[in-house]
Every structure is written in structure tokens, then in C-alpha cells.
Amino acid sequence: MNSGENTDSIPIDLILDILSRLPSKSIARFRCVSKLWGSMLRQPYFTKLFLTRSSARPHLLIAVEQEGEWSFFSLTQPQNYHGKSSLVVAADFHMNFFEDTRPCRCSYASGLIYFPNMLIPKKGGDEVRVICNPSTGQYAYVILPPELRLKSRTSDQFLGFDPIDKQFKILLTLFNFLNKETDHHILTLGAETVGWRKIQCPLSYILHSEKTICINGVLYYLATPINGERYDVLVCFDVRSEKFMFIRLKFMFPRSSTKLINYKGKLGVINLGYAYDGGFPLELSMWVLEDFGKEEWSKYFYTLRADNKVVKVEYDLSVVGVTALGEIVLVKTRATNPFYVFYFNPERNTLLSVKIKGFKVEQGWYVYQRIYAFVDHVEDLEFNIMKTTYAAKSTLRKGNQVGTVFNYPQPDLCTLESANKFNALCLLDDDDDDDT
């Protein structure tokens, strides 16, 4: 089909239905076919249709941090593999960018990733927060106001999503060591009035780590109150109402190897243990919050045995989550060759090892590397964390990334910039067509 000239012979609805079944990277290419196709594939009807199709084929999203460079891959989560103990799956590369040589943390919510301590050199040394849609290659910068920049070095920040109002929010928790109090600030992305707002919390605490998870509009993380008593709490922050709730824990979780998970819509806490040699069999301990009001937990123990003796494990696995089907997912903590992902089904007591093809990153003991993975990732063409009615300010080129940069007003409160490589590529293609 040449620039949409023959679309009259094929119903538009049929074209959109076919294209909605393709990955986001293919949609990016088709948007550049012509102005007609670019407009057609940006219609709300198509983006909603694409999201519906994508929700039916969830992916495992893998992010590799390697000496300041981030690379994003995804692979289809296996289904209907009963009777098999191993599979080979191809990884789909999405994007990479190089911004900071320091180790960075990240927070995931509803398809977006937030980097709370990434340093952008062009910002004059300020710690610039970055929000990224790895499926489309879009990202935005967030700059803290002056009064929070220095304090933010002792803060933690998390990305949350409100599924009712379809809003993303950033929660900043700042512990003051002088008065032993915890301050909280919130930023609503895509709001008409942009700025950080201070919110109240009835309890001061110190976080265990940056581990958090957002489930059905509630952010969960573990903390220790600053009140002289020795017990831990589960902090529950409702993203929509911006209210805090706390559950006093009657038992202690191992902090270093504990992972918060979404277990069939409920909060779960899971811990991984190895055999004496650091390999199989693995021991999984899982606690599930069955009733929030009654603070009732269920506890489960599982033993994972590998039928495939080719797979070598040596203290190098991490639990990354649980799929909607209830399968516990584990990945290697380093980008080995070959790279493996494991799916454990507690109901069937089966362990599936998946060998990943196309996972190409530099390897070696000398390379600093961290692996992050997120289950049930759904590709979304939308990036509605900003108001796109603002005019483009400039064009950003970074390696193979090309994008249009947008600025928010009120830079004294919060500055966001958006880079959209899809739109810029289409604009460049259209300009080339006009020249010819």
C-alpha cells in the first residue's frame, strides 16, 4: 500500500483492526507512511482498540541498567505450555538511552517507568527525574522545585496510578533527621495546574528500601515507624484520595530478599531461598494479605525443582512478580548468555524455564549491571502525563533517538519536557515528502 492511496478499497475499520494486533514498534513505522495514516493511527478509537488488544497479550518487560545505559526488552508471557518444562522465546527490543553513570532506581506503574534519581548532564547537575514509556520510546523530564532539590537526596519517590481517574502521580517521602519527621509531597501528572503539593501523613517512618508496588490504585511499601517501638508497618497510600493507611506487621520479613507482588489483585510478600550451593531446589515463602480491614494474612511455602539440568543457578535469581494467571516469575540478576526466565505454577507445582533469544547486552564480570523485570506489561500508545496542547519548543536528537521536546509553564514549581520520537519521525518524513 503506497502512502494510503489504496485505502478506499479496504474498509478503514478492517485496517485498524488488523493494525491493532501489531506491536507498538510496528505502529510507529505505519504512522510514518503518510499524513493520512499518521492521523488515523492517532485517533482515540484506535489507541483504545490497541490497548484492548494489548491487554489480551501481556508481556514481561525487562530493563537492563549497564554503566549508565538503559535497554528495554519485552517478551510474550507463555500460555498453554502444559506438559513442557522448557521453551525458547524471542525478545523484542524497544529502546535504549544513556543518561547517567550512577546506579539508578526505578518505579513501575501501569506501563510507565519512573527514574527518581537520574542525573541529566545538560540540566547543570540537577537531579532530573525521568518518566518513560518503553513501549513507544517517549519520555519526560521532571525537575524538583529549588526547596526540594537538596532535601531530595534523603528522599524516596514512587510512581502510582489511579485506575478510576486514569491519572499518574508521584509520591515523594522525605525523612528529616533533625526532627525525626517524614514529609510527603505529591505531583499529579497531566493536571491543569502543575506543581508539587505537600500532603499530610499521621505517622513518621523510615522506609526499608525502594521496593514498592501499585495495585488497584494503592501504593504499598514497608517501613519502620519513628516512635521508639520495634515493629514494622505496611504503608498503604491511596493514589486517588491521597490518604495513608497502615497495617502493623505481626511478623518480620527478610528485608534483603523480600519482594512485594500483586497476587491475583491482592498484596503479596514473597521471599526466595536457595539450596546450600546457591542453586536448586529453591524455597519460596509467600504471604498474601487476604483481608485488609481484619489484617488477615495467608502463608504459603513452595519448593522449586528444575527438571532441566542445563540451567545453572548460583545465587543469581530474583522474584519479579506474579502473572495474572498466578504464576511466580523469576529472572536472572545478570544478563548471562543464554538468559533465562522461570515461571512457577503453584497450583500445578510445575517450573517452566524459558530461554530468551535476542537478549544482547555486554557481558563480563567487570561490567556493572542490574536487571529489572515487570510482569503483565501492557503496551499503551498513550503518554498522557502532559498536556500536548503546548507548542513544540525544539527537536531532540540523542543517538538513534529523535523526538520533539515540549515544556510546561511554571518552571519554578515543576518543569517537564516530553520527547516523542514517533511524532518527530513523522514530521521529518512529511518534510522530506514536501521537498520532493
Side-chain angles (χ1 to χ4, degrees):
M1 190 173 297
N2 184 16
S3 300
E5 294 177 359
N6 298 326
T7 55
D8 291 341
S9 60
I10 304 176
I12 295 296
D13 289 346
L14 179 58
I15 295 177
L16 296 180
D17 182 77
I18 295 173
L19 295 180
S20 67
R21 303 171 189 272
L22 300 177
S24 60
K25 189 161 55 176
S26 299
I27 302 301
R29 298 191 183 100
F30 281 112
R31 280 180 173 179
C32 302
V33 169
S34 67
K35 291 182 180 180
L36 172 61
W37 278 58
S39 174
M40 183 172 61
L41 298 183
R42 289 183 179 87
Q43 294 177 1
Y45 168 77
F46 177 75
T47 56
K48 292 180 181 179
L49 178 62
F50 181 88
L51 180 60
T52 301
R53 302 288 192 200
S54 182
S55 300
R57 52 175 193 270
H59 286 66
L60 177 67
L61 177 68
I62 300 177
V64 182
E65 177 198 3
Q66 184 170 282
E67 298 182 351
E69 182 175 0
W70 286 79
S71 303
F72 296 91
F73 305 83
S74 69
L75 52 131
T76 303
Q77 293 176 176
Q79 298 179 353
N80 302 322
Y81 60 87
H82 306 306
K84 298 181 180 179
S85 60
S86 62
L87 290 175
V88 179
V89 177
D92 184 22
F93 173 76
H94 287 284
M95 64 173 291
N96 60 11
F97 62 87
F98 185 91
E99 294 291 358
D100 194 355
T101 58
R102 303 174 307 165
C104 292
R105 304 189 304 271
C106 64
S107 177
Y108 177 92
S110 191
L112 301 187
I113 298 180
Y114 176 54
F115 302 91
N117 67 332
M118 183 169 285
L119 179 65
I120 306 298
K122 75 185 188 73
K123 295 296 179 181
D126 291 333
E127 285 191 351
V128 179
R129 280 70 188 162
V130 177
I131 306 169
C132 170
N133 183 339
S135 297
T136 64
Q138 296 167 288
Y139 53 94
Y141 301 144
V142 180
I143 302 177
L144 290 177
E147 61 270 21
L148 289 179
R149 290 179 188 174
L150 293 178
K151 297 179 181 179
S152 67
R153 299 183 185 277
T154 58
S155 72
D156 289 278
Q157 300 176 59
F158 308 118
L159 179 66
F161 179 70
D162 169 22
I164 298 177
D165 293 335
K166 309 296 183 183
Q167 282 188 326
F168 288 91
K169 296 183 181 181
I170 297 174
L171 173 67
L172 183 149
T173 65
L174 176 64
F175 182 72
N176 190 320
F177 288 93
L178 294 179
N179 56 20
K180 294 185 178 181
E181 293 182 354
T182 306
D183 293 331
H184 298 80
H185 299 262
I186 196 78
L187 174 66
T188 301
L189 304 176
E192 294 290 344
T193 302
V194 182
W196 291 88
R197 297 175 287 107
K198 187 173 182 178
I199 58 176
Q200 299 300 316
C201 179
L203 181 68
S204 291
Y205 54 83
I206 297 179
L207 273 74
H208 287 182
S209 68
E210 70 275 10
K211 297 176 182 177
T212 184
I213 190 170
C214 188
I215 304 175
N216 298 327
V218 178
L219 270 171
Y220 297 94
Y221 50 90
L222 301 174
T224 300
I226 308 300
N227 55 10
E229 298 187 29
R230 294 185 177 181
Y231 64 88
D232 292 336
V233 296
L234 175 68
V235 184
C236 313
F237 176 72
D238 189 288
V239 178
R240 187 166 188 255
S241 66
E242 301 179 1
K243 301 296 183 182
F244 289 89
M245 295 172 286
F246 302 89
I247 294 180
R248 179 171 177 171
L249 299 178
K250 301 178 182 179
F251 41 85
M252 298 291 291
F253 297 113
R255 298 185 181 182
S256 59
S257 56
T258 294
K259 173 73 176 180
L260 302 183
I261 59 172
N262 180 350
Y263 185 75
K264 298 182 179 180
K266 300 178 180 180
L267 174 73
V269 183
I270 197 165
N271 180 64
L272 171 65
Y274 297 92
Y276 69 93
D277 60 350
F280 288 99
L282 306 177
E283 299 291 337
L284 287 179
S285 303
M286 183 172 67
W287 297 261
V288 178
L289 183 59
E290 300 290 355
D291 191 304
F292 183 90
K294 297 180 180 180
E295 300 184 10
E296 293 181 349
W297 296 78
S298 296
K299 191 172 183 179
Y300 305 88
F301 293 98
Y302 304 106
T303 300
L304 283 63
R305 304 182 185 276
D307 296 331
N308 186 354
K309 302 301 182 181
V310 177
V311 181
K312 302 297 182 183
V313 172
E314 188 176 1
Y315 297 106
D316 58 352
L317 283 181
S318 174
V319 176
V320 297
V322 179
T323 69
L325 299 178
E327 294 184 319
I328 301 173
V329 185
L330 305 93
V331 302
K332 289 276 192 172
T333 56
R334 291 184 58 85
T336 57
N337 186 15
F339 185 79
Y340 283 93
V341 175
F342 299 90
Y343 293 83
F344 174 68
N345 190 313
E347 296 180 357
R348 296 185 175 87
N349 194 29
T350 58
L351 181 66
L352 175 71
S353 62
V354 179
K355 181 179 178 181
I356 310 302
K357 295 175 58 179
F359 195 74
K360 298 179 180 178
V361 293
E362 185 178 354
Q363 301 175 21
W365 62 268
Y366 54 88
V367 178
Y368 176 83
Q369 205 175 68
R370 294 180 71 181
I371 304 292
Y372 302 85
F374 310 96
V375 301
D376 290 335
H377 173 70
V378 175
E379 292 188 331
D380 191 352
L381 300 178
E382 296 287 351
F383 194 49
N384 294 330
I385 65 169
M386 304 180 60
K387 295 299 179 182
T388 56
T389 55
Y390 297 108
K393 178 181 178 182
S394 62
T395 298
L396 172 68
R397 293 179 179 268
K398 191 171 185 66
N400 61 351
Q401 301 291 321
V402 182
T404 303
V405 178
F406 295 87
N407 277 347
Y408 258 131
Q410 299 176 304
D412 56 321
L413 293 177
C414 172
T415 300
L416 293 92
E417 297 175 343
S418 169
N420 183 342
K421 68 177 181 179
F422 290 178
N423 290 344
L425 286 171
C426 292
L427 290 174
L428 291 174
D429 284 359
D430 291 338
D431 293 340
D432 292 340
D433 292 340
D434 293 339
D435 294 337
T436 56

